Amino acid sequence: MLRRPKILAALAVVALPISVIGVSSGGPPAAAASPGPSTQAAASAFQAASQKYGVPESVLLAVSYAETRWDDHAGKPSTSGGYGLMHLTSVDPGEFEERSGGAELAKADSLRTLDKASTLTGLDPVALRNDPAANIAGGAALLADYQRSLKLPVGADTSAADWYGAVGSYSGASDQAGASAFADDVYAILARGAARTTNTGQQIVMPAVKVTPAKSQLARTGLRAATTATGATECPAQLDCESLPAPYSQYGPGAGDYGNHDLANRPKTGKIDYIVIHDTEGGWQGTLNLIQDPTYVSWHYTMRSSDGHIWQHVDTKNVAWHAGNWYVNMHSIGIEHEGFAAQGATWYTEALYRNSARLVRYLAQKNNIPLDRAHIIGHDQVSGTLPSTVAGMHWDPGPYWDWEHYFDLLGAPIYGHNIFPVRVGSIVTVKPGFSDNVQVVTACNTDGTCPPQGTNFVYLRQAPDDAAPLVKDLGNRPNGADSTTQVSDIGARAAAGSKYVVAERSGDWVAVWYLGAKGWFKNPASAPDAFAKPGLVVKPKAGKASVPVYGRAYPEQAAYPAGIPYQTVTPLQYTIGAGQAYPVGDANIETDYYRAVTFAGEPPTDHVQVLGKDRYYQIWFGHRMVYVRAADVDLKPAF
């Protein structure tokens, strides 16, 4: 296993006389370290650009963090054509129109800010792409130019509160809603401060600055007001979502020849417990074409990579066909994010993360969904429903989706405190970091390689040894072969936010119960990848050698009324052995089946929710979530 040395996410202040403040609002205070040469260079570049172009250093730092989290991607562009720490764009407008599906543009020069920065600074475009200091200078020059265009004062000593309009303009948004959303992000970052070691090892810390921004400045920008009709979409107002309805229509002579979702009346016909994070594995326009095909599947929302713009396709009260598991479909909302799981950060932009988090927060609050990794889940956590379907389940959004950053943005940071001892019987939450957690991953490209980059997981091995084979997953590899490092193979991965019960310890190594066996990962006290926290676990009832696990929580046979066939609840190929324990994700799920197999008018008259009395618990089990019958296990606290 190849790992970079652990790097603390926040280090000592350089050129800024402040205390360290972490990015996560609920996280522990950051540790301090002595600044190195790269830290001095980064701090100096922001300070110099601030003084030269008359932009408050705090505003410059916060804009850069909101755009790129201070990563420069080694001179390579983002999917929206942005370069460097300040995300200076260099995109042909026609190319962008084709890629974005005809999205309205604020103005052509919003796509070519790198060229404008070159004109303002006199710096060569190549330098602006590749040299961090030049890129920061270009971003500062743009901010100052936007400020002057609004006839507002420029100066490094001006109040950060007076730059709201310029910050909104910097977003390149086509409307006030988009500009306001970006500016609000920037000022939220200012309010809490930020500290991070970047992809190039730059150690940057920004202090908290509490200001009340002058939001009225946005009216001076000339951007159009939001036009989305109230109630047309289920989105927070600042996102200005658009509606592109998925077709509910018949396409053949049979009653079952219809698509591409089912009408319902959730939560009355089944409560909404999960929000499923997908990636599209395709571009924006192709994805929009698919959602309009009644013979294809459906999902509730699609998000564009370049700017986080959102379309809603299915009302959340209705059941979309997105998860590959009907029970999960019945109880979830599906959100597709433009991108490719094997390409990771190239597609998962900061704008995408931030707007997705806004949408998920809104939907979670509306539907009383807990903001945790048992309920805000990846498609890769959805189990197959039968032993034969496990291997074919999806693995998106993949190893390069930054769950820790995403939950910071949700305001529900993944737990990571060294308060409780990690001992046998403890529940541990995996939190390996991201940018400095570079695991070996293969088969992204045709030559079998994957570019080294941050990952969201740790590998589990069959013994406490770096050379030991990865754990087995009989669902993915029924022949009993070991799991692999292939990008699509989730069989031996413990992802950020997932929970396990400690089975054994050996030096720096910890074994957890995983798919019915022990899986080992290194967890030294000096750089831990997992932290203990109390919670509930399930254990097989006394006298049971093993208990089955299930991919769905359907009712018992007696619950089905006449005319609705019994849906067999078939155990998966895994079992929980005596003496093993697994954390509970949710102890209060519905045991039900929503019968919807024929085309129905509005409202549906032949769609029925069958409710059962047989109770199930949702548990963490391997990389995915599964269900166990309450009658088979004891529910116990773990510390």
Side-chain angles (χ1 to χ4, degrees):
M1 178 169 64
L2 176 65
R3 293 287 304 277
R4 287 184 185 174
K6 281 285 178 181
I7 303 173
L8 293 175
L11 297 123
V13 179
V14 178
L16 295 171
I18 55 162
S19 58
V20 175
I21 298 173
V23 175
S24 168
S25 60
S34 299
S38 62
T39 304
Q40 294 283 3
S44 297
F46 280 107
Q47 191 175 54
S50 167
Q51 292 297 323
K52 183 170 182 177
Y53 294 101
V55 182
E57 188 173 355
S58 59
V59 171
L60 191 57
L61 283 160
V63 167
S64 176
Y65 190 90
E67 286 281 16
T68 65
R69 297 181 73 214
W70 300 325
D71 285 344
D72 70 358
H73 300 295
K76 296 180 181 178
S78 72
T79 57
S80 49
Y83 290 86
L85 283 74
M86 299 302 299
H87 201 257
L88 302 180
T89 54
S90 181
V91 182
D92 176 72
E95 175 187 339
F96 186 86
E97 286 283 1
E98 180 180 353
R99 171 180 155 75
S100 64
E104 181 182 352
L105 303 175
K107 44 187 176 296
D109 62 4
S110 71
L111 301 176
R112 304 193 66 83
T113 58
L114 189 141
D115 293 341
K116 186 174 181 180
S118 178
T119 300
L120 291 170
T121 62
L123 296 171
D124 186 84
V126 174
L128 289 165
R129 288 190 184 95
N130 297 289
D131 179 68
N135 189 270
I136 292 167
L142 281 169
L143 278 165
D145 188 67
Y146 293 138
Q147 184 80 341
R148 291 189 184 94
S149 72
L150 301 178
K151 302 188 184 311
L152 294 169
V154 171
D157 58 350
T158 55
S159 171
D162 292 329
W163 285 76
Y164 188 88
V167 170
S169 296
Y170 196 95
S171 69
S174 61
D175 54 56
Q176 290 187 28
S180 177
F182 177 77
D184 287 345
D185 274 343
V186 169
Y187 279 84
I189 293 164
L190 275 171
R192 68 173 181 263
R196 188 167 183 266
T197 299
T198 72
N199 65 311
T200 58
Q202 301 278 344
Q203 300 165 4
I204 303 175
V205 176
M206 187 193 77
V209 178
K210 295 189 181 298
V211 297
T212 302
K215 295 191 175 186
S216 62
Q217 294 176 355
L218 209 59
R220 302 187 184 194
T221 62
L223 297 173
R224 67 172 174 84
T227 57
T228 302
T230 302
T233 59
E234 299 167 277
C235 285
Q238 69 268 35
L239 288 185
D240 197 21
C241 300
E242 295 187 60
S243 176
L244 182 67
Y248 182 72
S249 60
Q250 284 188 286
Y251 56 79
D257 297 333
Y258 73 96
N260 54 17
H261 59 281
D262 278 297
L263 302 184
N265 191 24
R266 300 190 300 179
K268 291 182 179 179
T269 56
K271 65 177 184 173
I272 302 174
D273 291 320
Y274 313 112
I275 298 174
V276 182
I277 304 299
H278 304 257
D279 78 66
T280 60
E281 294 300 308
W284 175 254
Q285 188 57 54
T287 301
L288 296 187
N289 292 340
L290 288 173
I291 194 64
Q292 297 173 81
D293 180 355
T295 66
Y296 197 66
V297 297
S298 61
W299 50 94
H300 293 89
Y301 299 87
T302 302
M303 302 198 61
R304 187 164 58 209
S305 169
S306 60
D307 58 0
H309 186 70
I310 301 170
W311 291 85
Q312 183 174 3
H313 311 297
V314 178
D315 291 345
T316 59
K317 70 178 181 179
N318 294 329
V319 179
W321 304 346
H322 63 98
N325 178 318
W326 181 245
Y327 181 82
V328 175
N329 283 347
M330 288 160 42
H331 294 287
S332 67
I333 295 169
I335 305 176
E336 289 280 359
H337 298 74
E338 183 189 14
F340 296 83
Q343 295 180 23
T346 306
W347 288 86
Y348 300 152
T349 64
E350 190 63 12
L352 184 77
Y353 278 127
R354 289 182 178 277
N355 280 2
S356 178
R358 279 194 183 90
L359 177 62
V360 168
R361 277 199 311 269
Y362 167 84
L363 294 171
Q365 183 176 21
K366 179 180 178 182
N367 296 285
N368 298 311
I369 301 171
L371 288 174
D372 61 39
R373 287 283 281 116
H375 297 87
I376 312 301
I377 63 176
H379 197 183
D380 53 353
Q381 290 173 254
V382 177
S383 173
T385 55
L386 302 168
S388 60
T389 64
V390 171
M393 295 302 290
H394 286 223
W395 55 279
D396 57 302
Y400 305 126
W401 179 270
D402 190 347
W403 285 111
E404 293 180 47
H405 177 48
Y406 192 61
F407 271 80
D408 283 346
L409 293 174
L410 287 172
I414 292 173
Y415 183 84
H417 301 266
N418 261 324
I419 298 175
F420 300 95
V422 176
R423 58 193 178 192
V424 173
S426 298
I427 297 174
V428 290
T429 301
V430 176
K431 185 180 171 70
F434 185 78
S435 61
D436 63 325
N437 181 43
V438 182
Q439 301 282 0
V440 172
V441 184
T442 56
C444 295
N445 303 318
T446 55
D447 63 359
T449 65
C450 295
Q453 60 181 297
T455 59
N456 61 21
F457 70 93
V458 294
Y459 281 119
L460 296 178
R461 299 187 176 275
Q462 295 177 31
D465 188 325
D466 285 322
L470 299 176
V471 296
K472 301 177 186 293
D473 182 344
L474 293 178
N476 286 342
R477 285 179 158 69
N479 62 359
D482 300 332
S483 297
T484 71
T485 59
Q486 291 181 3
V487 66
S488 60
D489 189 345
I490 63 172
R493 292 178 189 164
S498 55
K499 297 178 184 293
Y500 303 95
V501 175
V502 177
E504 189 178 346
R505 293 210 61 169
S506 178
D508 286 341
W509 288 80
V510 172
V512 295
W513 293 116
Y514 188 91
L515 298 176
K518 292 178 182 178
W520 292 87
F521 67 98
K522 192 175 286 187
N523 194 52
S526 59
D529 283 328
F531 302 82
K533 186 180 182 181
L536 295 173
V537 301
V538 296
K539 298 180 178 181
K541 284 189 176 295
K544 288 184 176 288
S546 65
V547 299
V549 300
Y550 304 89
R552 51 192 175 186
Y554 278 176
E556 66 280 5
Q557 188 168 2
Y560 288 80
I564 298 182
Y566 168 54
Q567 303 297 307
T568 305
V569 182
T570 304
L572 300 178
Q573 53 267 74
Y574 314 103
T575 59
I576 298 175
Q580 297 182 16
Y582 292 84
V584 174
D586 195 331
N588 297 295
I589 64 170
E590 282 186 319
T591 304
D592 65 341
Y593 167 65
Y594 185 60
R595 169 74 169 178
V597 297
T598 61
F599 182 73
E602 177 73 67
T605 55
D606 64 343
H607 294 185
V608 178
Q609 183 192 25
V610 180
L611 285 166
K613 296 181 180 179
D614 197 7
R615 290 189 62 203
Y616 287 81
Y617 302 131
Q618 176 205 35
I619 64 169
W620 293 94
F621 190 79
H623 190 89
R624 302 191 191 273
M625 313 295 297
V626 298
Y627 305 93
V628 292
R629 294 179 65 245
D632 289 336
V633 296
D634 290 322
L635 191 66
K636 294 182 176 294
F639 300 95

